[in-house]
Short mmCIF file of all heavy atoms in Angstrom, two decimals:
data_model
loop_
_atom_site.label_atom_id
_atom_site.label_comp_id
_atom_site.label_asym_id
_atom_site.label_seq_id
_atom_site.Cartn_x
_atom_site.Cartn_y
_atom_site.Cartn_z
N LEU P 1459 102.30 123.89 81.81
CA LEU P 1459 103.62 123.67 82.40
C LEU P 1459 104.72 124.17 81.46
O LEU P 1459 104.76 123.80 80.29
CB LEU P 1459 103.83 122.18 82.67
CG LEU P 1459 105.20 121.72 83.14
CD1 LEU P 1459 105.61 122.42 84.43
CD2 LEU P 1459 105.23 120.21 83.30
N SER P 1469 130.20 126.97 77.93
CA SER P 1469 131.55 126.57 77.54
C SER P 1469 132.42 126.60 78.80
O SER P 1469 132.51 127.64 79.46
CB SER P 1469 132.12 127.53 76.49
OG SER P 1469 133.40 127.11 76.09
N GLN P 1471 136.01 125.16 81.03
CA GLN P 1471 137.35 124.60 80.98
C GLN P 1471 137.38 123.33 81.82
O GLN P 1471 136.62 123.18 82.79
CB GLN P 1471 138.37 125.60 81.52
CG GLN P 1471 138.62 126.77 80.60
CD GLN P 1471 139.73 127.66 81.12
OE1 GLN P 1471 139.80 127.95 82.31
NE2 GLN P 1471 140.60 128.09 80.23
N CYS P 1480 117.31 124.22 86.15
CA CYS P 1480 116.06 123.84 85.50
C CYS P 1480 114.91 124.33 86.37
O CYS P 1480 114.71 123.83 87.48
CB CYS P 1480 116.00 122.32 85.32
SG CYS P 1480 114.45 121.71 84.64
N TYR P 1482 110.71 125.15 86.65
CA TYR P 1482 109.45 124.78 86.05
C TYR P 1482 108.31 125.53 86.73
O TYR P 1482 108.44 125.98 87.86
CB TYR P 1482 109.25 123.26 86.08
CG TYR P 1482 109.39 122.63 87.43
CD1 TYR P 1482 108.27 122.33 88.20
CD2 TYR P 1482 110.64 122.28 87.92
CE1 TYR P 1482 108.40 121.72 89.44
CE2 TYR P 1482 110.78 121.68 89.16
CZ TYR P 1482 109.66 121.39 89.91
OH TYR P 1482 109.79 120.80 91.14
N SER P 1483 107.20 125.64 86.03
CA SER P 1483 106.19 126.64 86.40
C SER P 1483 105.04 126.11 87.26
O SER P 1483 104.35 126.91 87.90
CB SER P 1483 105.60 127.28 85.14
OG SER P 1483 104.98 126.29 84.33
N THR P 1485 103.34 122.78 89.88
CA THR P 1485 103.70 121.73 90.83
C THR P 1485 103.98 120.41 90.13
O THR P 1485 103.24 119.98 89.26
CB THR P 1485 102.57 121.54 91.85
OG1 THR P 1485 102.35 122.76 92.53
CG2 THR P 1485 102.94 120.46 92.86
N LEU P 1503 119.87 110.05 82.74
CA LEU P 1503 120.92 110.23 83.74
C LEU P 1503 120.38 110.05 85.16
O LEU P 1503 120.91 109.28 85.95
CB LEU P 1503 121.52 111.63 83.63
CG LEU P 1503 122.35 111.95 82.40
CD1 LEU P 1503 122.75 113.42 82.40
CD2 LEU P 1503 123.59 111.06 82.34
N SER P 1508 111.32 113.19 94.64
CA SER P 1508 110.73 113.86 95.80
C SER P 1508 111.54 115.09 96.16
O SER P 1508 112.70 115.24 95.75
CB SER P 1508 110.68 112.90 96.99
OG SER P 1508 111.99 112.48 97.33
N GLN P 1514 123.81 111.22 92.50
CA GLN P 1514 125.14 111.51 91.99
C GLN P 1514 125.65 110.34 91.17
O GLN P 1514 125.43 109.17 91.51
CB GLN P 1514 126.11 111.79 93.14
CG GLN P 1514 127.52 112.15 92.66
CD GLN P 1514 128.34 112.84 93.74
OE1 GLN P 1514 127.91 112.97 94.88
NE2 GLN P 1514 129.51 113.32 93.36
N THR P 1524 111.29 120.93 95.18
CA THR P 1524 109.95 121.07 94.61
C THR P 1524 109.26 122.35 95.07
O THR P 1524 108.40 122.87 94.37
CB THR P 1524 109.07 119.87 94.98
OG1 THR P 1524 108.99 119.76 96.40
CG2 THR P 1524 109.62 118.58 94.39
N LEU P 1531 121.79 120.66 88.08
CA LEU P 1531 122.72 119.62 87.66
C LEU P 1531 124.11 120.22 87.83
O LEU P 1531 124.49 121.14 87.10
CB LEU P 1531 122.47 119.21 86.22
CG LEU P 1531 123.39 118.12 85.66
CD1 LEU P 1531 123.15 116.81 86.39
CD2 LEU P 1531 123.18 117.94 84.16
N ALA P 1547 113.45 117.31 82.24
CA ALA P 1547 112.06 117.08 81.85
C ALA P 1547 111.24 116.91 83.12
O ALA P 1547 111.69 116.30 84.09
CB ALA P 1547 111.95 115.84 80.97
N GLY P 1552 101.58 114.18 87.98
CA GLY P 1552 100.98 112.86 88.10
C GLY P 1552 100.65 112.23 86.77
O GLY P 1552 100.04 111.18 86.70
N LYS P 1560 114.62 123.18 76.84
CA LYS P 1560 115.22 123.27 75.51
C LYS P 1560 116.63 122.72 75.46
O LYS P 1560 117.21 122.63 74.38
CB LYS P 1560 115.19 124.72 75.03
CG LYS P 1560 113.77 125.21 74.80
CD LYS P 1560 113.73 126.59 74.18
CE LYS P 1560 112.27 126.96 73.91
NZ LYS P 1560 112.14 128.27 73.26
N VAL P 1566 133.16 121.26 76.96
CA VAL P 1566 134.29 121.31 77.89
C VAL P 1566 135.58 121.37 77.09
O VAL P 1566 135.88 120.48 76.29
CB VAL P 1566 134.31 120.07 78.81
CG1 VAL P 1566 135.48 120.17 79.78
CG2 VAL P 1566 132.99 119.95 79.57
#
Side-chain angles (χ1 to χ4, degrees):
Chain P
L1459 173 58
S1469 182
Q1471 288 185 318
C1480 175
Y1482 53 98
S1483 60
T1485 301
L1503 291 175
S1508 60
Q1514 182 162 6
T1524 58
L1531 180 66
K1560 294 186 177 182
V1566 181

